Protein backbone atom coordinates (compact mmCIF):
# COMPACT_ATOMS: atom_id res chain seq x y z
CA UNK A 1 0.00 0.00 0.00
CA UNK A 2 1.35 3.36 -1.05
CA UNK A 3 0.10 6.49 0.66
CA UNK A 4 0.51 9.53 -1.61
CA UNK A 5 0.03 13.05 -0.25
CA UNK A 6 -1.04 15.66 -2.78
CA UNK A 7 -2.22 13.02 -5.22
CA UNK A 8 -4.76 15.32 -6.88
CA UNK A 9 -2.08 17.85 -7.85
CA UNK A 10 -0.39 18.11 -11.23
CA UNK A 11 2.52 15.78 -10.46
CA UNK A 12 0.74 13.73 -7.78
CA UNK A 13 -2.15 12.80 -10.06
CA UNK A 14 0.27 11.52 -12.71
CA UNK A 15 1.99 9.45 -10.03
CA UNK A 16 -1.33 8.01 -8.82
CA UNK A 17 -2.48 7.22 -12.38
CA UNK A 18 0.86 5.57 -13.15
CA UNK A 19 0.84 3.47 -9.96
CA UNK A 20 -2.69 2.21 -10.63
CA UNK A 21 -1.97 1.56 -14.32
CA UNK A 22 1.44 -0.11 -14.05
CA UNK A 23 1.51 -1.84 -10.65
CA UNK A 24 -0.71 -3.99 -8.48
CA UNK A 25 -0.26 -1.70 -5.46
CA UNK A 26 -3.10 -0.14 -3.52
CA UNK A 27 -2.90 3.67 -3.55
CA UNK A 28 -4.28 5.92 -0.82
CA UNK A 29 -4.37 9.55 -1.91
CA UNK A 30 -4.49 12.22 0.82
CA UNK A 31 -5.30 15.61 -0.66
CA UNK A 32 -6.79 18.80 0.80
CA UNK A 33 -8.26 19.62 -2.63
CA UNK A 34 -7.22 23.25 -2.70
CA UNK A 35 -6.73 25.39 -5.83
CA UNK A 36 -4.02 22.93 -6.93
CA UNK A 37 -6.08 19.74 -6.66
CA UNK A 38 -8.02 18.57 -9.69
CA UNK A 39 -10.18 15.47 -9.29
CA UNK A 40 -10.80 15.43 -13.06
CA UNK A 41 -7.19 14.33 -13.45
CA UNK A 42 -8.05 11.17 -11.48
CA UNK A 43 -11.20 10.15 -13.37
CA UNK A 44 -9.39 7.23 -14.99
CA UNK A 45 -8.57 5.68 -11.59
CA UNK A 46 -11.39 6.79 -9.30
CA UNK A 47 -13.35 3.55 -9.74
CA UNK A 48 -10.36 1.27 -9.21
CA UNK A 49 -10.66 -1.09 -6.24
CA UNK A 50 -7.03 -0.24 -5.48
CA UNK A 51 -7.58 3.54 -5.23
CA UNK A 52 -8.84 5.47 -2.21
CA UNK A 53 -9.20 9.24 -1.87
CA UNK A 54 -8.95 10.71 1.62
CA UNK A 55 -9.85 14.40 1.65
CA UNK A 56 -7.68 15.77 4.45
CA UNK A 57 -5.12 18.44 5.25
CA UNK A 58 -1.60 17.32 6.17
CA UNK A 59 -1.74 19.98 8.89
CA UNK A 60 -4.56 17.99 10.56
CA UNK A 61 -2.62 15.61 12.81
CA UNK A 62 -5.69 13.61 13.91
CA UNK A 63 -6.82 13.07 10.30
CA UNK A 64 -3.36 11.76 9.41
CA UNK A 65 -3.33 9.39 12.39
CA UNK A 66 -6.73 8.07 11.36
CA UNK A 67 -5.59 7.55 7.78
CA UNK A 68 -2.51 5.58 8.87
CA UNK A 69 -4.58 3.52 11.33
CA UNK A 70 -7.20 2.63 8.71
CA UNK A 71 -5.02 2.09 5.63
CA UNK A 72 -1.72 0.84 7.11
CA UNK A 73 0.64 1.92 4.30
CA UNK A 74 3.95 0.29 3.46
CA UNK A 75 5.33 3.35 1.69
CA UNK A 76 4.64 7.07 1.96
CA UNK A 77 5.26 9.37 -1.00
CA UNK A 78 4.95 12.91 0.34
CA UNK A 79 4.23 15.35 -2.49
CA UNK A 80 1.69 17.65 -0.79
CA UNK A 81 2.99 21.22 -0.64
CA UNK A 82 2.13 24.79 -1.30
CA UNK A 83 3.93 25.70 -4.49
CA UNK A 84 4.44 28.56 -6.94
CA UNK A 85 7.09 31.11 -6.03
CA UNK A 86 4.85 34.12 -6.77
CA UNK A 87 2.18 32.86 -4.35
CA UNK A 88 4.84 32.42 -1.66
CA UNK A 89 5.86 36.05 -1.99
CA UNK A 90 2.24 37.20 -1.56
CA UNK A 91 1.36 34.79 1.26
CA UNK A 92 4.39 33.14 2.88
CA UNK A 93 2.48 31.95 5.97
CA UNK A 94 0.58 29.37 3.89
CA UNK A 95 3.92 27.93 2.78
CA UNK A 96 5.32 27.81 6.30
CA UNK A 97 2.19 26.06 7.56
CA UNK A 98 1.84 23.43 4.85
CA UNK A 99 5.42 22.80 3.78
CA UNK A 100 7.04 22.89 7.21
CA UNK A 101 4.33 22.11 9.77
CA UNK A 102 2.55 19.70 7.40
CA UNK A 103 5.79 17.83 6.72
CA UNK A 104 6.51 17.69 10.45
CA UNK A 105 3.03 16.18 10.99
CA UNK A 106 3.62 13.62 8.25
CA UNK A 107 6.98 12.66 9.74
CA UNK A 108 5.66 12.30 13.27
CA UNK A 109 2.54 10.34 12.34
CA UNK A 110 4.53 8.10 10.00
CA UNK A 111 7.27 7.56 12.59
CA UNK A 112 4.78 6.64 15.33
CA UNK A 113 3.16 4.20 12.90
CA UNK A 114 6.55 2.77 11.79
CA UNK A 115 7.76 2.19 15.35
CA UNK A 116 4.87 -0.22 15.94
CA UNK A 117 5.33 -2.27 12.75
CA UNK A 118 6.67 -5.81 12.94
CA UNK A 119 10.36 -6.14 12.05
CA UNK A 120 9.82 -7.22 8.44
CA UNK A 121 7.43 -4.38 7.65
CA UNK A 122 9.63 -1.95 9.55
CA UNK A 123 12.64 -2.87 7.38
CA UNK A 124 10.76 -2.33 4.11
CA UNK A 125 8.85 0.83 5.08
CA UNK A 126 9.98 4.05 3.35
CA UNK A 127 9.06 7.72 3.65
CA UNK A 128 9.78 9.31 0.26
CA UNK A 129 9.86 13.11 0.51
CA UNK A 130 9.51 14.76 -2.89
CA UNK A 131 11.22 18.13 -2.81
CA UNK A 132 12.42 20.58 -5.46
CA UNK A 133 15.67 21.75 -7.02
CA UNK A 134 14.70 25.29 -5.98
CA UNK A 135 16.16 24.61 -2.51
CA UNK A 136 19.58 25.01 -4.19
CA UNK A 137 18.90 28.58 -5.35
CA UNK A 138 19.51 30.03 -8.77
CA UNK A 139 21.55 28.65 -11.64
CA UNK A 140 24.12 30.90 -13.31
CA UNK A 141 23.85 30.53 -17.08
CA UNK A 142 22.78 27.76 -19.42
CA UNK A 143 25.63 25.37 -18.60
CA UNK A 144 25.25 25.52 -14.81
CA UNK A 145 23.62 22.60 -13.02
CA UNK A 146 22.87 21.33 -9.55
CA UNK A 147 24.47 18.21 -8.11
CA UNK A 148 23.95 16.29 -4.89
CA UNK A 149 26.82 18.32 -3.41
CA UNK A 150 25.26 21.72 -4.23
CA UNK A 151 24.66 23.63 -0.99
CA UNK A 152 21.21 24.81 -0.06
CA UNK A 153 20.63 28.48 -1.00
CA UNK A 154 16.86 29.07 -1.16
CA UNK A 155 15.85 32.42 -2.64
CA UNK A 156 12.07 32.65 -2.01
CA UNK A 157 9.65 31.80 0.78
CA UNK A 158 8.62 28.75 -1.28
CA UNK A 159 12.14 27.39 -1.67
CA UNK A 160 13.01 28.25 1.95
CA UNK A 161 9.97 26.32 3.20
CA UNK A 162 10.89 23.31 1.05
CA UNK A 163 14.51 23.49 2.25
CA UNK A 164 13.24 23.51 5.83
CA UNK A 165 11.10 20.45 5.14
CA UNK A 166 14.12 18.67 3.60
CA UNK A 167 16.12 19.41 6.74
CA UNK A 168 13.34 18.02 8.92
CA UNK A 169 13.30 14.81 6.89
CA UNK A 170 17.08 14.47 7.18
CA UNK A 171 16.88 15.12 10.93
CA UNK A 172 14.26 12.36 11.36
CA UNK A 173 16.64 9.98 9.58
CA UNK A 174 19.63 11.02 11.68
CA UNK A 175 17.84 11.30 15.03
CA UNK A 176 15.37 8.41 14.82
CA UNK A 177 16.92 6.25 12.08
CA UNK A 178 13.59 6.73 10.29
CA UNK A 179 13.84 5.28 6.75
CA UNK A 180 13.61 8.22 4.34
CA UNK A 181 14.39 9.07 0.75
CA UNK A 182 14.54 12.69 -0.49
CA UNK A 183 14.37 13.57 -4.17
CA UNK A 184 14.97 17.07 -5.51
CA UNK A 185 13.55 17.03 -9.01
CA UNK A 186 13.64 19.98 -11.37
CA UNK A 187 10.57 21.74 -12.71
CA UNK A 188 8.16 19.32 -14.28
CA UNK A 189 5.81 19.53 -17.23
Amino acid sequence: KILVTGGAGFIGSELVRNLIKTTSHEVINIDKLTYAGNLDSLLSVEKSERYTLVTADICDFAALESCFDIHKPNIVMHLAAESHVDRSIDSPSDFIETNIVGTYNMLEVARAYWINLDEIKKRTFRFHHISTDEVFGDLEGEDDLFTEETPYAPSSPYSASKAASDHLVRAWFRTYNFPVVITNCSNNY
Side-chain angles (χ1 to χ4, degrees), residues 4 10-20 77 79 130:
V4 176
F10 182 71
I11 298 168
S13 63
E14 173 58 26
L15 172 63
V16 168
R17 290 190 308 268
N18 189 279
L19 288 170
I20 294 296
M77 297 184 78
L79 287 84
I130 290 80

Side-chain angles (χ1 to χ4, degrees), residues 97-116:
E97 185 68 23
T98 299
N99 298 353
I100 300 173
V101 175
T103 297
Y104 162 78
N105 288 343
M106 285 298 302
L107 286 165
E108 275 300 274
V109 169
R111 185 175 70 89
Y113 168 78
W114 170 75
I115 286 170
N116 292 307

Side-chain angles (χ1 to χ4, degrees), residues 131-140 143-155 163 166-167 170 182 184:
S131 186
T132 175
D133 67 337
E134 294 197 36
V135 300
F136 303 122
D138 302 324
L139 291 173
E140 304 295 329
D143 296 327
D144 199 11
L145 54 92
F146 298 122
T147 70
E148 291 188 6
E149 288 79 36
T150 302
Y152 278 57
S155 56
D166 288 7
H167 291 311
R170 282 192 171 95
I182 299 174
N184 298 93

Side-chain angles (χ1 to χ4, degrees), residues 23 35 40 49 62 69 71 83 95 110 135 144 149 154 164 169 183:
T23 75
Y35 71 94
D40 288 345
E49 295 175 359
D69 288 344
H71 297 287
S83 59
F95 289 72
V135 300
D144 199 11
E149 288 79 36
V169 172
T183 53

